[in-house]
Amino acid sequence: MTVVEASDAAASAVNCLRLEGRLVARDVLRYTPAGLAICTASLEHESHQQEAGGARQVVLGLTCRFAGELAQRLVAENLGTRLMLQGFLAHRRIGRDGRGQGGILLHVTHYTTRH
């Protein structure tokens, strides 16, 4: 029998997403107090998938966070550009002032443009 400690389970949990979509909106580049470049953007994805033996059309929008060099690169991309993103999912925080939206946020760790 293998016993997994809570800290080991969290360290080994998989949270990796790859998604292709179109850049539909982008905030202005901002900087954290520590000087890290941040840019939040919206991606629109559309595809056909198989589920339970049937075809399904998938259309979704996802908020994405780009940090550091990725944020600086993203501000040069044109809206409508197709991107292949890789990253991890986390809760989208609501600000201390109660403003903002909850939900899921894709933290992008790598991206390429698609033509």
Side-chain angles (χ1 to χ4, degrees):
M1 179 168 115
T2 303
V3 176
V4 177
E5 298 292 328
S7 61
D8 293 340
S12 65
V14 175
N15 180 353
C16 184
L17 178 70
R18 289 184 61 198
L19 188 70
E20 182 177 353
R22 191 169 52 88
L23 181 64
V24 294
R26 171 185 58 234
D27 290 346
V28 297
L29 186 66
R30 65 181 179 84
Y31 291 87
T32 67
L36 181 65
I38 300 289
C39 188
T40 301
S42 296
L43 189 81
E44 187 176 89
H45 167 85
E46 186 172 342
S47 65
H48 291 88
Q49 303 295 323
Q50 292 292 316
E51 179 180 34
R56 178 178 177 159
Q57 182 176 7
V58 177
V59 178
L60 65 91
L62 187 62
T63 302
C64 307
R65 180 179 181 229
F66 296 74
E69 182 262 333
L70 296 178
Q72 293 171 339
R73 280 181 42 211
L74 184 73
V75 296
E77 303 290 355
N78 294 320
L79 295 182
T81 299
R82 295 200 65 76
L83 303 175
M84 175 61 82
L85 306 179
Q86 182 172 323
F88 62 91
L89 297 174
H91 281 288
R92 186 171 184 184
R93 294 184 184 174
I94 296 177
R96 292 181 187 176
D97 60 2
R99 296 185 348 195
Q101 301 174 357
I104 294 175
L105 180 67
L106 173 62
H107 289 252
V108 178
T109 57
H110 178 78
Y111 86 87
T112 58
T113 57
R114 309 281 284 194
H115 299 286

